Amino acid sequence: MRKLSKTGVLLFGALVSGCAGGEREPSVESTRQAVLSPELAASLACVETYVDAETCDWPHWSELWETCRTHEHPVLEDGRFLDAVQSGACTAANWPSLREQLVNPSPTPVRLRESCDATSLVIQEAVLDGCYSVVQGAGASFVEVPLGKTVTLHAGANCTGASVSAQEDMNLCETSFDTGVSADGNVGSFRIQDVVAPPSAYNYDCAPDELECVENYNDRRGAINKPHTVKLVRVVVPNRTTFTLPAIEAKVGALYTFFAAASRNQVSRIPMGTQVVNVPGTTCDKAKTQAIAAARSSAFMTVYMMPTGLCSASRARERSIFLNDNLFRSYAHEAGHVLSLAHGNTRDPATGDETEYNDASTHMGQFTSDNYNLPQLHWLGWTRKEEVVKVNAALAATRVTEVTLRPVDLNEDSPSGHKLGAVWESPDSKFRLFIAVPKSVLNGGNQIAGGTVIVYRAPTCKLEADCSGPIVMGTMTLARFVATNTNTHAVFGSPIKIKVTGYERKPVQVGGKTVDEYAWVKLQISQ
């Protein structure tokens, strides 16, 4: 088949129609305008001081993150800015274009590539839903499908003729249309659509009169909550060791056992095979690129086990995780990024110090944990409508309300009727406070005692422009106290105050020690 040269690359393509009879829609660039809040403008100005000082780099990342408060803004916390810093792209020369990309983030596009892997030349890409013509003779052989989208490839023009659909990347060298004809090089057009989650107890809408209902604005739930195809790739380079496939398989099995429990059996795994790839790459980035090209994976998630010591840390991209160890927490953390979760951060109420990755109540921190935290579980669509209660209306009416919370633990279903969390939403609907009890009992996983109350700050993502990147649901703990503490606790940056008014507990043996196991904690919430 004839391929396009690099000079023949077409970006965004020709949009045939957004829907039946629709006119051509304008590009994302022509419709999106940045509206910077004073806080975001201040954060960007602070980052620019690091750029000018040539310290917008990885060695200074923690200092920059805390000083410039980048964690308060989803557009700076979705992984793109971090990638730029780690790759050395946060420089004075690059700053104008990098700042524009951060301020005006575009959704991840559907990409058609020249050869049968995800590293080959991009010959066409598109963002908006609709039908697109493929450049004649382009010969697409690989299609990248972002999370939350369905792409239907057609052999004919105007989205007609033989077709094949997918919600994951497609290696067209191994894909056929519904007629049995190979799709490789034979795509004439393609249609992009949102993946729509069917109504369920976990995918719900809030009616106008349901004042206690906490709306979930995650439009990717339909793409997340389903069976996942998963491929395992063991990457081998000369003179280094890599964990064995059986060791990798055991941890991936444990990961999906966790997903099944935490999602209430909405998520499962479909094994898509294993592969050992031998690459000559002498650096982490080169080895990753060579491994991606060799794997030709079209799985929902591809797990790449990198040689020990070759990469400085485990990382994730939209459909893949790259591990430099075989710790379960690394699998859960990086897979969380694939599911659109950002980091779990903390603020010390006593000192005001903010620390990245420091929340032990979520796998999205740096410590061993039992689960993701409640705002992340809610975002993924792993909680039911009645399990999380919004308190704004009650506080507006009486300025005080009470709620009884059961521990989140592994997010198992419970007949108790107690809530998993209480939620207060900011007046501008930009962020929420989730009040939760992460654990019923202290265990060997981390040092969070049973009955501990934690208040998390999380973005609502009500506006797509606020959370358009692939990684969006990051959290910050603003308060933390044990159930036996009878003080009234003010929550930083909000009018909310919380006091424990009751609890039920019993002594149990854990690891040879007697600790308290909590069934519920009752809270008085006021403003």
Side-chain angles (χ1 to χ4, degrees), residues 65 77 255 258-259 316 321 328-346 355-373 375-377 379-380 470-476:
W65 179 89
E77 190 75 355
L255 175 68
F258 158 66
F259 280 165
I321 63 175
F328 176 81
R329 69 170 182 257
S330 297
Y331 285 82
H333 183 105
E334 302 306 333
H337 286 319
V338 173
L339 301 183
S340 74
L341 302 182
H343 290 143
N345 311 312
T346 62
T355 308
E356 191 178 21
Y357 306 101
N358 209 44
D359 179 12
S361 72
T362 174
H363 288 305
M364 302 314 295
Q366 61 179 314
F367 305 109
T368 299
S369 190
D370 303 289
N371 208 334
Y372 300 126
N373 61 35
Q376 292 169 337
L377 294 172
W379 173 254
L380 293 172
I471 301 172
V472 297
M473 188 45 60
T475 60
M476 174 76 73

Side-chain angles (χ1 to χ4, degrees), residues 151-175:
V151 174
T152 302
L153 306 178
H154 292 268
N158 301 319
C159 293
T160 61
S163 65
V164 61
S165 298
Q167 296 176 11
E168 291 88 30
D169 296 351
M170 284 187 281
N171 175 0
L172 302 188
C173 296
E174 301 172 354
T175 303

Side-chain angles (χ1 to χ4, degrees), residues 310-327:
L310 182 63
C311 302
S312 61
S314 297
R315 295 293 304 276
R317 50 182 282 173
E318 271 207 84
R319 295 287 187 181
S320 307
I321 63 175
F322 301 87
L323 302 168
N324 69 343
D325 60 53
N326 203 40
L327 298 174

Side-chain angles (χ1 to χ4, degrees), residues 136-150:
Q136 187 174 7
S141 294
F142 195 93
V143 182
E144 286 184 10
V145 183
L147 187 67
K149 294 295 183 181
T150 295

Side-chain angles (χ1 to χ4, degrees), residues 269-338:
R269 176 171 69 124
I270 301 174
M272 204 173 177
T274 62
Q275 185 175 351
V276 177
V277 297
N278 292 274
V279 298
T282 55
T283 68
C284 177
D285 288 344
K286 286 181 179 179
K288 285 179 181 178
T289 300
Q290 292 162 353
I292 293 169
R296 293 179 159 188
S297 180
S298 55
F300 175 90
M301 184 171 70
T302 304
V303 178
Y304 292 90
M305 179 56 71
M306 304 301 294
T308 302
L310 182 63
C311 302
S312 61
S314 297
R315 295 293 304 276
R317 50 182 282 173
E318 271 207 84
R319 295 287 187 181
S320 307
I321 63 175
F322 301 87
L323 302 168
N324 69 343
D325 60 53
N326 203 40
L327 298 174
F328 176 81
R329 69 170 182 257
S330 297
Y331 285 82
H333 183 105
E334 302 306 333
H337 286 319
V338 173

